[in-house]
Amino acid sequence: MIKIAVFDVKPYDIPGLERYGPENGIEFKFFETKLNIDTAGLAAGSDGVCVFVNDDISEPVIDALRQCGVKLIALRCAGFNNVDLRAASGKICVVRVPGYSPHAVAEHALAMLLTLLRKTHKAYLRTRDFNFSLTGLVGANLFGKTVGVIGTGRIGRVFIDICRGLGMRVIAYDVYPAKDADFEYVALDRLFAESDVISLHCPLTPETTHMINEKSLDKMKDGVILINTSRGALIDAEALLEQIKKKKVGGACLDVYEEESDIFFEDLSGHIMDDDVLARLISMPNVLVTSHQAFLTDDALESIAKTTAENIAAFFRGKPQNEVK
Ligand code: NAI
């Protein structure tokens, strides 16, 4: 049996991995703790590790895993910005789940947008308290509005289709425009200037880090709504907070946050929130925060578990698939 140590495991991860593990010759050992330099030793005796978005896969951790005999890092996610690929190169193989369910993420982006815009989260709380007043619940139509989509890969394109279904005008920006695009690509500055809603669907790279910053926010329409279901550090959260306070930004739907790694996925109710920027953002009536939840559907979890198990089995058969280099 191939032995795999699974880090940062949550109850919803286990059934799928236990279903697809045995049929692929894999025995999973589950650890709730995240992978970092202090916990890497838990992988001793394992052939590989299985990790998620906030595990630390920096050079020292990669070296520590190698010393434990680990040959494979299997990401059970699409993004790989938390892996030092240069350090891993030639030492340890890294595989991922590239496209488990673009619909899960794109549909969550829509859910957040409609919730924020139509204030259904506030209405729900009111009617549960038998408060049937509509004061303060005025929303806005999406029909006829312009949405700017940054990153037109798997998720961005599903989101574009959804927005067109709503009767929105779509403009998009990508460093590698799709050849078969049936929507309009524009320069980034034009996208900033013309969009009522901007949704981020590009990966986090050195070029995209803080692409939403003081300068780019200044180029946007007054009242713009931002959606980020991609990676937190695409947005300079302090700059966003400033522009929300100045009422330049009309709303923000944030499924990811730059400093999320010690916060998201954990129950911190009853604790004092150390992160003042996140606390202030959450206090805003026009900010909706979800805890990196966009991937979390039963369809996506099934697909993640299946592909992860198949990636692991393929590597140990000598035919790596979905490798990240
Ligand atoms: P993808 O690789 O299919 O598409 C990414 C697109 O971004 C590509 O078309 C690429 O050319 C473009 N791009 C790269 N650099 C760019 C730049 N500087 N400016 C504009 N566009 C750029 O990726 P996919 O599957 O659509 O995922 C997008 C991102 O969504 C992932 O990188 C990941 O960070 C995030 N994600 C978030 C999840 C969540 O639960 N919140 C779940 C899954 C993915």
Side-chain angles (χ1 to χ4, degrees):
M1 285 296 246
I2 305 163
K3 290 192 166 41
I4 300 291
V6 187
F7 285 87
D8 199 13
V9 78
K10 295 284 184 270
Y12 46 77
D13 293 315
I14 295 175
L17 291 173
E18 284 192 331
R19 193 158 46 251
Y20 290 104
E23 68 188 53
N24 284 285
I26 304 165
E27 190 186 312
F28 288 112
K29 196 169 180 188
F30 298 110
F31 296 103
E32 283 181 20
T33 181
K34 288 190 183 60
L35 175 63
N36 56 43
I37 193 61
D38 297 325
T39 61
L42 292 169
S46 300
D47 303 299
V49 294
C50 177
V51 296
F52 198 48
V53 293
N54 290 323
D55 288 299
D56 170 6
I57 310 149
S58 55
E59 186 161 17
V61 176
I62 289 169
D63 289 341
L65 290 175
R66 283 238 309 163
Q67 278 172 18
C68 292
V70 166
K71 294 167 207 72
L72 176 71
I73 296 171
L75 295 160
R76 54 182 193 282
C77 53
F80 49 87
N81 52 282
N82 52 334
V83 185
D84 184 338
L85 286 177
R86 193 198 47 77
S89 176
K91 290 186 191 163
I92 203 160
C93 178
V94 182
V95 294
R96 67 170 181 142
V97 185
Y100 48 86
S101 177
H103 300 276
V105 182
E107 288 174 18
H108 190 76
L110 173 71
M112 293 190 86
L113 176 59
L114 284 175
T115 303
L116 190 82
L117 212 59
R118 303 307 299 266
K119 304 183 169 67
T120 43
H121 54 319
K122 294 176 194 282
Y124 170 79
L125 292 174
R126 278 193 196 181
T127 54
R128 282 179 65 85
D129 203 24
F130 303 107
N131 172 356
F132 299 104
S133 157
L134 293 184
T135 305
L137 295 185
V138 177
N141 288 9
L142 285 172
F143 180 82
K145 299 279 162 57
T146 298
V147 60
V149 177
I150 301 180
T152 56
R154 280 167 281 242
I155 298 169
R157 291 193 73 157
V158 174
F159 189 69
I160 286 173
D161 284 346
I162 289 173
C163 290
R164 287 198 295 209
L166 292 166
M168 299 184 81
R169 171 184 171 242
V170 175
I171 53 177
Y173 170 78
D174 196 303
V175 276
Y176 302 109
K179 292 200 172 62
D180 61 343
D182 51 359
F183 47 84
E184 187 189 1
Y185 280 108
V186 297
L188 197 52
D189 278 357
R190 196 172 139 206
L191 183 146
F192 288 147
E194 291 185 13
S195 301
D196 301 294
V197 176
I198 295 176
S199 196
L200 305 176
H201 298 292
C202 57
L204 179 65
T205 63
E207 295 76 48
T208 60
T209 299
H210 285 188
M211 72 187 302
I212 305 301
N213 55 32
E214 197 184 337
K215 273 194 189 146
S216 50
L217 285 163
D218 203 44
K219 293 173 187 166
M220 293 177 196
K221 267 187 163 178
D222 289 348
V224 65
I225 293 179
L226 292 168
I227 309 171
N228 190 5
T229 56
S230 196
R231 284 294 180 264
L234 295 177
I235 297 183
D236 175 345
E238 288 187 29
L240 172 65
L241 179 59
E242 271 316 298
Q243 295 308 320
I244 289 172
K245 284 193 203 160
K246 288 182 181 156
K247 303 191 176 67
K248 164 86 184 174
V249 170
C253 305
L254 307 175
D255 184 52
V256 284
Y257 174 66
E258 184 168 6
E259 303 298 333
E260 71 180 48
S261 64
D262 291 330
I263 300 172
F264 281 16
F265 306 119
E266 307 302 331
D267 179 0
L268 299 181
S269 54
H271 290 248
I272 304 296
M273 171 53 64
D274 290 329
D275 188 321
D276 288 349
V277 175
L278 181 62
R280 191 78 170 95
L281 282 169
I282 288 175
S283 78
M284 294 288 176
N286 55 350
V287 175
L288 190 62
V289 173
T290 52
S291 174
H292 206 134
Q293 185 188 334
F295 75 100
L296 195 65
T297 66
D298 49 6
D299 307 85
L301 286 173
E302 182 79 9
S303 177
I304 289 170
K306 183 169 185 292
T307 306
T308 299
E310 289 171 355
N311 284 347
I312 294 166
F315 172 78
F316 286 101
R317 268 200 318 270
K319 294 201 166 132
Q321 62 180 34
N322 294 319
E323 205 175 339
V324 197
K325 289 182 183 165

